[in-house]
C-alpha cells in the first residue's frame, strides 16, 4: 500500500479471482496484515502489543456476547444472574473469569502499547492521526471498562458508579443536573444499570470501528520502528507475513500463558473482595477503589487537596474537588497534544540522551507511584506521594517535553534501518536496488 | 517458503536446503496447534447455550395423582410446558380400546400409552403435535373435541380419550413423556 | 502557541499538586506522625492459615470435611445466616446421595403458597430449592439481631480478603479484650478510649475489632460428628465450616484448576512451537546466519 515495492496480491483460483473483482476483501486483508504490507525489519518485541490489543478486543467481544446471553441487567437480579453464570451455566465460571481478566489483560497490553509510543515518540509526524485515534480508543476503553465493572452490581460496582458519576457533580452550576441525568435518578439504580449495560454492549463495536481507522491511518505512513528513521529503501522492510505474523504468534503464546495463569489460578487476584457483596446503597465499603487500570488517574484525582484560593484570604476560585476532576481529564486529554508539544526531529528515545533520562527516571517512576497510590487508601504517605508524582506527570508532558525538544542534541542516527540492522554489510546499506522514497 | 521470501529481499541470505522438511514441519505443527487451540475454545462457547444446571434440575417433576377423580384432569408443569394428567373413566377406557388400531394415523393402543396397573392414568404433554399450541379439554368445561379427549383450537386437531390424533392436521398423538410411578400415588415425570 | 499554553497548564497543575503536598507535609510535621494510629490498625490480625485441602493450584475437595462443614452450617449457622445462592441439588457434589439431598432439603422450610387458598406459607424444601434465609426480610433480620443483619454466607469466602482463612480465624478468634495483647500490650493500655460497645464482641480478626455476632462455636462437641470423623473441637468445626463456605463461594474452584493445568500445558507446547516457527521464518533474514 505504502511503498512501491510492496508485494501485489495475486488471486490464484476462480473463487479468489471472483472475490477480488466483486468484493476485494482478501486483497484488503493481504495489504493490511499479509504479504502486501512492508514493515520495517527491525521492530522489537514492544511492537507486538498492537496485534495483542486487537486480539484482546476480539476476546472481550466474544466472551461478552455470550455472557450477555445469561446476564440480566436489572438491579433486583443482576448480582444473582452473575452468580447464576458462575454456578449453573455450562462453563459460565470460565467465561466470566475470561471476560473480567481479559479486561485487565487488555489494559495491560494497551498501557505497554502507549508507553512504547511515548518512548519511541510514535506520535510524531507523520503519524499524528494514528496517535490521536489511539487516544480516542483508550478513552472509549476506559468508559467501557468502567461501565462493565458496574454490571455485576456488587458493592464496588455500585459505589464506583456513584463516585465516578459524582465527578460530574463537581462541575459548577450544571454539575448536579448532569449527574442526575447520567444516572437517571439520584443514585445508581435500575435506570443507570440498564443504560450502562446497553452502552457497555455498544461501545466495543465503536472501539472496533476506531481500531479500523487507527490501522488505516497507520498503513498510510507505515509502521514506525525502534530507530525512528523512516523507511528509505526496499531492504529496510520485510513483508508483514510471514515475518511478523510468526513473531506475533509467538507473542500471542506468551500473552496467553500469562492470561490463562491468571484466569485459572488467580481469577480474583486483580478484583476486589467487596464486589462479591451485593450492592447496598446504605453501606459504603471502607476503601472505594476502582479497577487497577484506573489507579493512576484515580491517584491524580485525589492528589488535589487544596482549593485554589487567593493566598491569605478565604476567596476560593476553584474548589479542590473540581481541580481533581479537571486534572484527571487533563491527564489523558493532554495526550492529544503530544505531537505538537514534542516537536524534536528525532523520534526514538534511543538517540535522545536527555529525553531518555527523563523517561526512565521521571515518567516511569511517577507512573508506578501513581499506580500504587491510586490503589492505596486515601491516607498519608500515599496522598503526598501521589501529589509529587502528579506534579511530575504534568511537568513531564507539558513542560519537560517541549523544552527538551528545543534544547536537546540528539545522538547520531543510523543512515537507514538496514544500516542499523546489518551494519557492516555495505552493499546492503547503500542499497544497489534502493529506491529512495520521499518521506 | 521462507527461502523464496528471503531471496526477494536484498541484504538477506538464503539458508541452504537440507533443512526444508524439518522447517516445514515446524510451521505446519505451529499452525496446527493454533487450530487445535482455536477449536477447543469453541467448546465452552457452544456448550454455554445448552440448558444450565438449574434448568436441568427442573427437568423432572413429581406429580401426586391421588386427588384426581375419574373423568377429571389436571395441568402440571413439566420442563416449562403444560403436562396433562387425566384419570379415565371406565367408559373412556372402553371407548379408547374399541378403536381399531389399524385405522389410526399414529398407531398406538391405550396400553402403549399408560403403565401396567395404572391403565386409568393418562399422562401426556399438553402440547399439540401440529404447531405446539396447548389443546383444550383438560380443564373443567372446556371443549373436548369430537372424540371426547382433547381439542386444539389453533388448527382444529381432535384427540380421543387416549389422546391419540383422530382428526385434523396434527401428525402424531400427544406425546407421552417418560415417567414412572415412584409410589401408588406419586409419578415422577422425566 | 500550543506549547506555551501547555507549559502554563502544566505549571498550574504541578503547582496545585505541590501546594497540596506542602499542606499535607505541614500537617504531618505538626502532628509528628504520618497518620493517626488507630486500634483497628494496630490490633487487627491477619487471618491464620486453615490449611484446607482445596487451597492452591493442586487443591482437591475433602468431601468428608465439606459434609462436616455442611452439618455445622445446618445445626449452627443456619439459625441466623442464609445461603441463598446454593441450591440443595448442589449438595450432590459433596458426595450426598439423591435420597440424602432430598432429606436435607426437606429439613428446611422454604416459602411457599397454599394450593387451596393461595396464601403465603412455608413448605418443606425440594432439591431444586435454594437454602432459605432464616428471616422473611431484612427488617426482620435487623430487628432480631440488635440492628446487625447477619449476612448471607454463600459468597463469604470470596467477599473477604483471604476469605477461607478469614472464616476460620474469625470463628476461633474471639478473645477477652482485657487479656489479648499485641507486643505485650493490651488494647486499652495503648488506646484507653477503646471500648467494646454493648451487643458486640471483641475479635481481632474482625475489621473494626468489635463484631456483633457472639462466638457461635463455643464448646467442643457442640455438633456431634458421625463415627470415624475427627473430634468436633471448636478448631476442627471452624476449619470444617471454612471448607464448606469455600465450596459454597466457588463450587467450581477445583474444576477450575483441574482445567487450568492441561490448558497451560497445551499453551506451553504451542508457544514453544510458535517460537521455533518464528525462529525458522526469521532465520532467512537474520544477518548473523550469513554465509558466502
Amino acid at each position: 500500500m505504502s511503498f512501491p515495492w510492496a508485494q501485489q496480491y495475486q488471486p490464484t483460483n476462480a473463487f479468489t479471482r471472483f472475490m477480488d473483482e466483486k468484493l476485494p476483501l482478501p486483497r484488503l486483508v493481504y495489504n493490511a496484515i499479509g504479504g502486501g504490507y512492508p514493515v520495517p525489519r527491525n521492530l522489537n518485541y514492544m511492537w507486538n502489543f498492537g496485534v495483542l490489543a486487537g486480539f484482546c478486543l476480539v476476546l472481550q467481544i466474544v466472551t461478552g456476547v455470550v455472557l450477555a446471553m445469561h446476564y440480566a441487567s436489572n438491579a433486583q437480579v443482576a448480582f444473582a444472574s452473575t452468580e447464576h453464570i458462575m454456578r449453573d451455566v455450562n462453563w459460565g465460571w470460565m467465561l466470566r473469569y475470561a471476560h473480567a481478566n481479559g479486561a485487565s489483560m487488555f489494559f495491560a497490553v494497551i498501557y505497554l502499547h502507549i508507553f512504547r509510543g511515548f518512548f519511541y515518540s510514535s506520535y510524531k509526524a507523520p503519524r499524528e492521526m494514528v496517535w490521536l485515534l489511539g487516544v480516542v480508543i483508550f478513552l472509549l476503553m476506559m468508559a467501557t471498562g468502567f461501565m462493565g465493572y458496574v454490571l455485576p452490581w456488587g458493592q464496588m460496582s455500585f459505589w464506583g458508579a456513584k463516585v465516578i458519576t459524582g465527578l460530574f457533580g463537581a462541575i459548577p452550576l450544571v454539575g448536579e443536573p448532569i449527574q442526575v441525568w447520567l444516572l437517571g435518578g439520584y443514585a445508581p439504580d435500575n435506570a443507570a444499570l440498564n443504560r450502562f449495560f446497553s452502552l457497555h454492549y455498544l461501545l466495543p463495536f465503536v472501539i472496533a470501528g476506531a481500531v479500523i481507522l487507527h490501522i488505516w491511518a497507520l498503513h498510510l505512513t507505515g509502521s514506525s520502528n525502534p530507530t525512528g528513521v523512516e523507511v528509505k529503501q526496499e531492504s529496510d522492510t520485510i513483508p508483514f507475513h510471514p515475518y511478523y505474523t510468526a513473531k506475533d504468534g509467538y507473542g500471542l503464546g506468551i500473552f496467553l500463558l500469562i492470561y490463562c495463569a491468571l484466569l485459572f489460578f488467580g481469577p480474583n487476584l486483580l478484583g476486589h473482595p467487596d464486589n462479591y457483596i451485593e450492592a447496598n446503597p446504605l453501606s459504603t465499603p471502607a476503601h472505594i477503589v476502582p479497577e487497577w487500570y484506573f489507579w493512576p488517574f484515580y491517584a491524580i484525582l485525589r492528589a488535589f487537596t487544596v482549593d485554589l484560593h487567593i493566598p491569605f484570604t478565604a476567596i476560593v476560585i476553584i474548589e479542590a474537588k473540581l481541580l481533581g476532576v479537571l486534572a484527571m481529564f487533563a491527564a489523558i486529554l493532554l495526550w492529544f497534544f503530544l505531537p505538537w508539544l514534542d516537536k524534536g526531529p528525532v523520534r526514538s528515545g534511543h538517540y535522545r540522551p536527555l529525553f531518555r533520562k527523563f523517561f526512565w527516571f521521571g515518567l516511569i517512576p511517577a507512573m508506578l507511584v501513581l499506580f500504587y497510590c491510586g490503589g492505596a487508601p486515601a491516607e498519608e504517605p500515599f496522598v503526598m506521594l501521589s501529589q509529587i508524582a502528579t506534579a511530575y506527570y504534568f511537568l513531564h508532558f507539558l513542560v519537560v517535553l517541549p523544552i527538551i525538544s528545543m534544547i536537546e542534541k540528539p545522538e547520531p542516527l543510523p543512515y537507514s534501518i538496514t544500516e542499523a540492522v546489518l551494519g557492516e554489510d555495505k552493499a546492503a546499506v547503500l542499497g544497489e536496488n534502493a529506491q529512495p522514497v520521499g518521506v | 517458503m521462507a527461502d523464496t521470501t528471503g531471496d526477494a529481499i536484498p541484504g538477506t541470505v538464503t539458508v541452504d536446503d537440507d533443512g526444508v522438511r524439518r522447517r516445514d514441519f515446524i510451521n505446519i505443527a505451529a499452525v496446527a496447534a493454533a487450530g487445535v487451540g482455536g477449536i477447543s475454545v469453541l467448546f465452552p462457547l457452544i456448550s454455554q447455550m445448552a440448558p444450565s444446571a438449574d434448568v436441568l434440575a427442573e427437568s423432572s417433576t413429581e406429580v401426586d395423582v391421588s386427588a384426581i377423580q375419574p373423568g377429571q384432569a389436571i395441568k402440571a408443569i413439566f420442563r416449562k410446558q403444560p403436562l396433562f394428567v387425566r384419570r379415565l373413566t371406565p367408559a373412556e377406557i372402553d371407548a379408547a380400546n374399541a378403536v381399531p388400531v389399524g385405522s389410526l394415523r399414529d398407531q398406538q393402543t391405550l396400553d402403549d400409552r399408560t403403565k401396567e396397573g395404572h391403565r386409568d392414568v393418562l399422562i401426556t404433554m399438553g402440547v399439540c403435535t401440529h404447531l405446539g399450541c396447548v389443546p383444550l379439554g383438560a380443564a373443567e368445561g372446556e371443549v373436548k373435541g369430537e372424540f371426547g379427549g382433547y381439542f386444539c383450537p389453533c388448527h382444529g386437531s381432535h384427540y380421543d380419550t387416549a389422546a391419540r390424533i383422530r382428526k385434523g392436521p396434527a401428525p402424531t398423538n400427544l406425546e407421552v413423556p417418560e415417567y414412572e410411578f415412584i409410589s401408588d400415588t406419586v409419578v415422577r415425570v422425566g | 502557541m500550543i506549547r506555551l499554553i501547555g507549559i502554563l497548564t502544566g505549571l498550574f497543575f504541578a503547582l496545585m499538586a505541590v501546594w497540596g503536598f506542602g499542606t499535607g507535609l505541614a500537617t504531618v510535621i505538626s502532628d509528628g506522625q504520618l497518620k493517626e494510629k488507630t486500634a483497628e490498625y494496630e490490633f487487627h490480625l491477619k487471618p491464620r492459615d486453615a490449611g484446607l485441602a482445596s487451597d492452591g493450584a493442586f487443591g482437591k475437595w475433602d468431601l468428608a470435611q465439606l459434609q462436616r462443614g455442611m452439618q455445622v452450617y445446618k445445626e449452627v449457622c443456619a439459625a441466623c445466616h442464609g445461603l441463598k445462592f446454593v441450591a440443595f441439588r448442589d449438595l450432590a457434589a459433596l458426595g450426598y446421595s439423591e435420597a440424602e439431598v432430598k432429606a436435607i432439603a426437606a429439613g428446611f422450610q422454604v416459602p411457599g403458597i397454599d394450593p387451596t387458598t393461595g396464601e403465603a406459607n412455608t413448605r418443606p424444601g425440594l432439591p431444586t430449592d435454594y437454602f432459605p434465609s432464616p428471616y422473611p426480610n431484612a427488617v426482620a433480620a435487623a430487628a432480631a439481631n440488635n440492628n446487625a443483619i447477619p449476612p448471607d454466607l454463600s459468597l463469604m469466602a470470596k467477599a473477604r480478603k483471604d476469605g477461607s482463612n478469614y472464616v476460620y480465624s474469625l470463628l476461633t478468634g474471639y478473645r477477652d479484650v482485657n487479656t489479648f495483647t499485641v507486643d505485650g500490650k493490651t488494647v486499652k493500655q495503648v488506646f484507653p478510649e477503646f471500648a467494646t460497645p454493648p451487643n458486640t464482641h471483641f475479635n481481632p480478626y474482625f475489621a473494626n475489632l468489635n463484631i456483633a455476632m457472639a462466638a457461635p462455636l463455643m464448646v467442643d462437641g457442640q455438633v456431634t460428628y458421625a463415627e470415624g470423623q475427627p473430634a468436633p473441637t471448636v478448631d476442627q468445626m471452624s476449619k470444617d465450616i471454612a471448607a464448606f463456605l469455600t465450596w459454597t463461594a466457588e463450587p467450581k474452584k477445583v474444576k477450575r484448576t483441574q482445567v487450568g493445568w492441561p490448558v497451560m500445558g497445551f499453551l506451553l507446547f504451542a508457544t514453544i512451537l510458535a517460537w521455533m516457527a518464528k525462529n525458522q521464518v526469521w532465520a532467512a533474514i537474520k544477518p548473523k546466519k550469513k554465509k558466502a
Side-chain angles (χ1 to χ4, degrees):
Chain A
M1 192 184 286
S2 45
F3 301 112
W5 57 82
Q7 294 174 26
Q8 289 302 307
Y9 176 68
Q10 299 290 347
T12 47
N13 56 40
F15 176 71
T16 48
R17 271 192 298 277
F18 174 84
M19 281 304 288
D20 200 42
E21 194 176 317
K22 311 296 175 192
L23 185 70
L25 263 182
R27 178 180 291 272
L28 187 75
V29 172
Y30 182 85
N31 287 337
I33 53 166
Y37 179 40
V39 186
R41 59 189 298 162
N42 59 336
L43 301 190
N44 60 34
Y45 279 102
M46 286 309 289
W47 266 259
N48 275 46
F49 294 104
V51 165
L52 287 181
F55 177 81
C56 286
L57 179 63
V58 173
L59 177 81
Q60 289 303 85
I61 288 179
V62 169
T63 52
V65 165
V66 297
L67 284 172
M69 295 180 187
H70 304 281
Y71 171 77
S73 65
N74 179 304
Q76 298 292 319
V77 294
F79 190 82
S81 75
T82 310
E83 278 309 308
H84 166 69
I85 292 170
M86 293 296 287
R87 289 159 194 270
D88 287 334
V89 173
N90 300 305
W91 297 95
W93 58 272
M94 190 169 100
L95 295 168
R96 188 201 167 208
Y97 279 151
H99 195 67
N101 287 293
S104 282
M105 292 301 286
F106 198 174
F107 273 96
V109 163
I110 283 293
Y111 275 119
L112 289 168
H113 194 56
I114 291 172
F115 274 79
R116 194 284 316 273
F118 285 152
F119 184 77
Y120 293 103
S121 311
S122 303
Y123 44 80
K124 283 185 182 172
R127 296 184 186 81
E128 300 99 319
M129 188 51 76
V130 184
W131 174 259
L132 296 181
L133 286 163
V135 180
V136 168
I137 291 170
F138 183 64
L139 287 171
L140 288 169
M141 277 178 63
M142 292 182 92
T144 311
F146 159 66
M147 289 190 281
Y149 194 53
V150 175
L151 301 185
W153 209 240
Q155 274 287 66
M156 280 296 169
S157 303
F158 180 89
W159 291 97
K162 189 149 184 168
V163 168
I164 299 300
T165 54
L167 297 181
F168 292 90
I171 303 169
L173 298 176
V174 292
E176 268 195 39
I178 288 181
Q179 186 187 350
V180 170
W181 174 76
L182 280 174
L183 288 173
Y186 302 98
D189 201 357
N190 253 339
L193 183 59
N194 268 305
R195 68 191 58 179
F196 282 11
F197 180 52
S198 168
L199 293 173
H200 181 73
Y201 204 119
L202 168 72
L203 285 186
F205 298 99
V206 179
I207 293 177
V211 166
I212 289 171
L213 298 182
H214 186 66
I215 296 173
W216 184 8
L218 173 74
H219 281 65
L220 292 180
T221 61
S223 298
S224 88
N225 69 85
T227 65
V229 177
E230 290 295 327
V231 169
K232 289 192 168 73
Q233 60 202 41
E234 187 172 356
S235 68
D236 288 349
T237 66
I238 45 179
F240 191 90
H241 179 77
Y243 294 101
Y244 287 106
T245 40
K247 197 168 174 177
D248 283 328
Y250 170 50
L252 183 64
I254 301 287
F255 166 88
L256 286 175
L257 277 169
I258 298 169
Y259 171 54
C260 287
L262 201 57
L263 197 170
F264 290 107
F265 300 105
N268 295 309
L269 224 54
L270 299 171
H272 199 291
D274 275 10
N275 226 27
Y276 282 109
I277 304 171
E278 194 165 359
N280 180 355
L282 303 180
S283 147
T284 312
H287 303 297
I288 302 179
V289 285
E291 288 277 76
W292 70 267
Y293 35 81
F294 294 131
W295 286 351
F297 303 100
Y298 196 55
I300 291 174
L301 173 78
R302 295 192 301 186
F304 291 83
T305 51
V306 289
D307 300 333
L308 174 63
H309 57 274
I310 300 170
F312 313 112
T313 67
I315 302 168
V316 173
I317 303 168
I318 307 177
E319 282 187 354
K321 184 184 175 189
L322 179 59
L323 261 179
V325 175
L326 289 176
M328 186 181 73
F329 285 113
I332 306 169
L333 295 181
L334 66 84
W335 292 356
F336 278 117
F337 299 97
L338 273 187
W340 298 278
L341 289 169
D342 178 9
K343 297 278 277 184
V346 173
R347 296 188 183 84
S348 169
H350 288 310
Y351 305 100
R352 303 177 66 190
L354 202 52
F355 168 86
R356 204 160 57 213
K357 286 193 185 74
F358 279 98
F359 181 85
W360 288 116
F361 301 109
L363 182 64
I364 294 294
M367 277 311 282
L368 292 178
V369 168
L370 288 175
F371 256 115
Y372 187 80
C373 293
E379 57 191 30
E380 301 301 358
F382 306 116
V383 176
M384 276 157 60
L385 279 174
S386 56
Q387 282 162 336
I388 293 295
T390 301
Y392 183 78
Y393 180 93
F394 282 105
L395 288 178
H396 180 90
F397 286 111
L398 294 172
V399 180
V400 172
L401 273 190
I403 293 175
I404 286 182
S405 69
M406 286 185 275
I407 63 169
E408 186 175 48
K409 281 206 170 54
E411 289 161 358
L413 288 171
Y415 164 74
S416 70
I417 295 170
T418 312
E419 185 191 89
V421 177
L422 298 174
E424 76 289 4
D425 190 343
K426 291 293 173 211
V429 174
L430 296 173
E432 300 110 316
N433 313 320
Q435 308 173 24
V437 275
V439 180
Chain B
M1 179 179 70
D3 286 45
T4 52
T5 326
D7 280 339
I9 297 165
T12 62
V13 179
T14 52
V15 183
D16 35 11
D17 288 4
D18 49 66
V20 169
R21 282 176 166 277
R22 187 179 145 265
R23 289 187 278 107
D24 282 352
F25 173 75
I26 291 170
N27 273 352
I28 292 166
V31 172
V36 169
I39 288 169
S40 35
V41 166
L42 288 179
F43 179 70
L45 289 175
I46 290 169
S47 78
Q48 56 87 19
M49 298 233 293
S52 58
D54 53 329
V55 173
L56 289 176
E58 285 175 356
S59 62
S60 72
T61 306
E62 287 180 14
V63 184
D64 185 349
V65 299
S66 59
I68 309 170
Q69 298 301 316
Q72 277 190 338
I74 60 165
K75 284 186 199 175
I77 292 174
F78 173 60
R79 292 181 181 167
K80 304 278 173 195
Q81 296 179 93
L83 180 78
F84 292 162
V85 184
R86 183 172 191 149
R87 194 178 288 277
L88 303 173
T89 62
E92 285 172 332
I93 295 175
D94 291 344
N97 286 334
V99 182
V101 174
S103 70
L104 293 171
R105 186 179 303 164
D106 183 6
Q107 300 182 352
Q108 279 184 312
T109 64
L110 182 63
D111 287 0
D112 292 338
R113 297 169 59 77
T114 53
K115 296 278 185 220
E116 185 68 49
H118 300 277
R119 293 297 178 208
D120 56 340
V121 178
L122 177 67
I123 300 179
T124 61
M125 298 304 298
V127 179
C128 180
T129 55
H130 178 220
L131 289 172
C133 295
V134 178
L136 301 174
E140 206 69 42
E142 281 181 358
V143 184
K144 291 190 171 185
E146 288 177 23
F147 302 90
Y150 300 107
F151 169 67
C152 182
C154 292
H155 301 92
S157 290
H158 297 257
Y159 297 90
D160 68 10
T161 52
R164 294 174 297 196
I165 182 64
R166 297 290 290 276
K167 186 180 170 188
T172 57
N173 302 334
L174 285 187
E175 187 196 341
V176 177
E178 277 195 25
Y179 68 91
E180 57 176 343
F181 279 85
I182 54 174
S183 74
D184 268 357
T185 56
V186 179
V187 179
R188 181 171 49 200
V189 188
Chain C
M1 189 62 191
I2 287 179
R3 276 188 277 187
L4 189 65
I5 296 170
I7 288 172
L8 291 176
T9 316
L11 286 174
F12 169 71
F13 280 122
L15 182 78
M16 288 312 296
V18 171
W19 191 351
F21 171 78
T23 325
L25 192 65
T27 316
V28 168
I29 289 169
S30 70
D31 288 357
Q33 57 183 12
L34 273 177
K35 58 178 179 244
E36 209 183 329
K37 287 198 161 42
T38 58
E40 286 86 348
Y41 185 78
E42 303 291 323
F43 283 85
H44 183 258
L45 298 181
K46 287 221 163 78
R48 292 188 296 140
D49 190 2
L52 300 180
S54 56
D55 288 348
F58 296 98
K60 291 260 192 305
W61 298 121
D62 177 346
L63 293 186
Q65 184 176 36
L66 293 182
Q67 294 200 2
R68 294 197 299 272
M70 158 67 204
Q71 194 189 346
V72 177
Y73 169 77
K74 197 174 128 190
E75 295 180 20
V76 182
C77 316
C80 303
H81 296 277
L83 209 54
K84 64 178 175 183
F85 295 120
V86 182
F88 296 114
R89 63 183 155 81
D90 294 334
L91 294 175
L94 301 191
Y96 291 107
S97 70
E98 205 184 320
E100 285 170 318
V101 170
K102 264 191 176 169
I104 293 168
F108 284 85
Q109 289 290 315
V110 301
I113 292 169
D114 186 315
T116 48
T117 65
E119 288 192 15
N121 66 356
T122 60
R123 60 173 174 81
L126 293 170
T128 45
D129 289 318
Y130 289 74
F131 278 91
S133 165
Y135 304 101
N137 53 53
V139 180
N145 293 282
N146 300 309
N147 252 348
I149 300 175
D152 186 89
L153 293 183
S154 312
L155 285 159
M156 191 49 73
K158 281 206 291 191
R160 298 289 181 276
K161 207 174 174 195
D162 197 8
S164 307
N165 294 332
Y166 170 82
V167 170
Y168 163 66
S169 305
L170 189 83
L171 292 176
T172 53
Y174 287 85
R175 299 282 185 276
D176 184 344
V177 68
N178 296 311
T179 58
F180 173 73
T181 57
V182 169
D183 297 335
K185 288 193 175 129
T186 67
V187 192
K188 282 177 181 162
Q189 279 170 335
V190 185
F191 300 97
E193 75 285 10
F194 180 84
T196 301
N199 296 321
T200 64
H201 310 269
F202 182 73
N203 191 326
Y205 293 100
F206 191 65
N208 71 5
L209 311 182
N210 293 319
I211 184 169
M213 173 173 73
L217 298 169
M218 285 178 299
V219 291
D220 293 349
Q222 193 171 339
V223 173
T224 309
Y225 283 167
E227 271 312 287
Q229 299 294 331
T233 59
V234 169
D235 191 74
Q236 184 63 44
M237 290 187 290
S238 304
K239 273 183 185 159
D240 294 347
I241 190 72
F244 178 63
L245 291 184
T246 305
W247 175 79
T248 62
E250 187 162 2
K252 302 290 164 61
K253 183 186 165 99
V254 168
K255 184 177 185 188
R256 165 158 65 76
T257 51
Q258 281 173 346
V259 173
W261 282 114
V263 171
M264 294 299 285
F266 172 79
L267 280 176
L268 191 65
F269 166 75
T271 305
I272 291 172
L273 274 182
W275 176 70
M276 289 164 69
K278 176 238 141 196
N279 282 346
Q280 182 261 298
V281 167
W282 280 76
I285 59 160
K286 273 279 157 68
K288 62 184 173 201
K289 280 266 174 120
K290 205 154 67 124
K291 287 181 188 173

